[in-house]
Amino acid sequence: KAREIENDVIFDQEPAVILNSMLPLYLNSQLVSILYDAQASELSSRMTAMKAATDNAGELVKALTSVFNKKRQAGITAEICEISAGASCIDTEMSPLGPDLGLEDNEDSVLPDLLQELEFGSLPEFPPVISDA
């Protein structure tokens, strides 16, 4: 059984008057709360978009740096190939084994020269010894 509690608050005005004066304040506070929530949501969305843009820019920098490094390395490799090709062209000293085969040499182009060397005896009996020095 519930006890009866004495009323501590005494209203001087009618409930309708109190409701009419409190309702605009309540609606105003709800409207302000909705506007603050909307502002906070917009700022949160902007922060998320800026973070995504920053992350994407970082990934783009990494990808472009990788492409740049590969292109630079390809250029360096091409220059080294050109330098070594030029150096081998300048080197006129013949090997005791004869000239190296070229890109267009095959058995059809090499075989007649070999047969001619065998026929005229211009080939040594034993292969020459090449020193490592």
Side-chain angles (χ1 to χ4, degrees):
K1 178 175 176 183
R3 300 187 313 181
E4 285 192 29
I5 299 176
E6 245 180 73
N7 293 338
D8 289 342
V9 179
I10 300 173
F11 291 106
D12 290 338
Q13 298 176 352
E14 294 291 318
V17 174
I18 294 174
L19 181 63
N20 286 339
S21 65
M22 294 288 286
L23 190 60
L25 294 174
Y26 174 74
L27 291 176
N28 189 24
S29 69
Q30 289 296 317
L31 186 61
V32 169
S33 174
I34 289 170
L35 291 175
Y36 281 144
D37 287 346
Q39 182 70 24
S41 175
E42 179 186 357
L43 292 176
S44 173
S45 296
R46 284 184 182 188
M47 285 175 47
T48 303
M50 290 302 293
K51 180 169 179 5
T54 302
D55 293 346
N56 287 340
E59 291 174 10
L60 184 62
V61 165
K62 286 180 185 176
L64 291 177
T65 301
S66 175
V67 168
F68 173 76
N69 287 340
K70 287 179 182 177
K71 295 275 186 184
R72 183 176 53 87
Q73 188 62 42
I76 292 170
T77 303
E79 286 184 28
I80 290 173
C81 288
E82 289 173 6
I83 291 170
S84 65
S88 68
C89 288
I90 292 173
D91 185 21
T92 58
E93 185 179 315
M94 289 287 286
S95 168
L97 299 177
D100 293 334
L101 294 178
L103 291 175
E104 290 132 13
D105 289 333
N106 56 30
E107 70 177 31
D108 295 332
S109 64
V110 175
L111 189 59
D113 292 338
L114 178 63
L115 291 176
Q116 184 179 7
E117 288 177 357
L118 287 174
E119 184 177 331
F120 294 115
S122 61
L123 286 178
E125 254 183 71
F126 298 103
V129 177
I130 300 173
S131 65
D132 291 334

